[in-house]
Amino acid sequence: MKNTLQRIWEQASIYLPVLLMVMLALGTWWLVRNAPKPLLGKTETVVSAEPDYTLENFSVHQFDAKGRLQSVIQGEEARHLPQSDTLEIDRVRTRSVAPDGTVTVSSAKRGASNSDASEVQLWGDAVVERVAANKATPALKLEGEFLHAWTNEERVKSHLPVVITRGNDQFHGDSLDYDNLSQVVEMKGRVRGVINPD
């Protein structure tokens, strides 16, 4: 009997590691199945349509690498909208100086600009004026209820009536597409003008 028991024990001990591995695998499977779900990766944040900061009675000056003034923007109040990354400004006034020294000023009741100021929209008594540098380049003034400017491309458009004053000459039109680089002005609708001799 003792030999029989010893033989059974020896036979069972051969399968003991396999039995322990099966028990361990079942335990692991149960833990994985009942463990809490992992947290999801980084979720996208919802950008608010509300302003994330405001400025009141402000003036922002921008300088080039040599310390020369490039532009100034002023206003009564500004709101930054993070959803579109635009800056809305009440009673906006700007002044910019081109590398050749040409000064351009603008103003309006309300304005909006993208983050790098390469696209600016002006509403309400909008005026963009290039100050005369010399007699060869007379002053140029654009006036209307709405002006849409692309500063890098030196273009101004409007789908509303606009008045252009260049030196002593004045033109009226129902819409405007002005390209300063190509020196082309396109006015549509009822266009009329007065050209005064020098």
Side-chain angles (χ1 to χ4, degrees):
M1 177 100 178
K2 189 175 179 184
N3 282 343
T4 312
L5 273 168
Q6 189 174 9
R7 219 173 338 128
I8 292 172
W9 176 253
E10 285 175 4
Q11 288 289 330
S13 66
I14 292 174
Y15 296 104
L16 187 60
V18 173
L19 185 61
L20 286 173
M21 291 300 285
V22 168
M23 295 285 285
L24 187 59
L26 286 172
T28 303
W29 173 80
W30 181 84
L31 281 172
V32 168
R33 185 177 168 131
N34 293 313
K37 301 288 181 216
L39 296 174
L40 296 175
K42 189 176 183 180
T43 58
E44 288 190 28
T45 56
V46 178
V47 181
S48 172
E50 296 297 315
D52 58 350
Y53 67 84
T54 60
L55 302 170
E56 290 184 8
N57 298 317
F58 69 95
S59 176
V60 177
H61 295 67
Q62 183 179 6
F63 299 89
D64 66 10
K66 294 183 178 178
R68 289 183 296 234
L69 182 66
Q70 285 185 312
S71 65
V72 177
I73 187 165
Q74 299 172 307
E76 284 183 4
E77 184 178 335
R79 296 162 299 284
H80 179 259
L81 304 173
Q83 194 171 45
S84 57
D85 195 19
T86 57
L87 191 65
E88 291 183 347
I89 305 167
D90 297 335
R91 298 287 179 200
V92 61
R93 295 174 314 283
T94 69
R95 182 179 188 273
S96 62
V97 181
D100 65 357
T102 304
V103 176
T104 304
V105 295
S106 69
S107 63
K109 289 180 180 174
R110 194 166 65 91
S113 172
N114 62 352
S115 59
D116 63 354
S118 62
E119 186 176 351
V120 178
Q121 296 181 58
L122 302 171
W123 292 274
D125 297 331
V127 177
V128 174
E129 185 174 6
R130 183 186 66 207
V131 179
N134 52 49
K135 291 196 178 207
T137 56
L140 176 72
K141 188 177 192 179
L142 307 173
E143 300 173 86
E145 279 303 302
F146 173 75
L147 295 173
H148 192 164
W150 289 266
T151 57
N152 295 341
E153 298 148 26
E154 296 186 36
R155 290 186 63 211
V156 179
K157 280 187 160 190
S158 181
H159 63 286
L160 297 176
V162 175
V163 176
I164 298 177
T165 306
R166 183 175 186 268
N168 295 323
D169 305 332
Q170 193 170 74
F171 302 91
H172 298 257
D174 290 339
S175 67
L176 170 75
D177 188 349
Y178 172 73
D179 187 336
N180 187 50
L181 296 179
S182 64
Q183 293 293 300
V184 174
V185 177
E186 182 180 349
M187 300 182 91
K188 294 183 179 177
R190 294 171 297 151
V191 178
R192 61 192 189 282
V194 176
I195 299 174
N196 292 308
D198 290 335

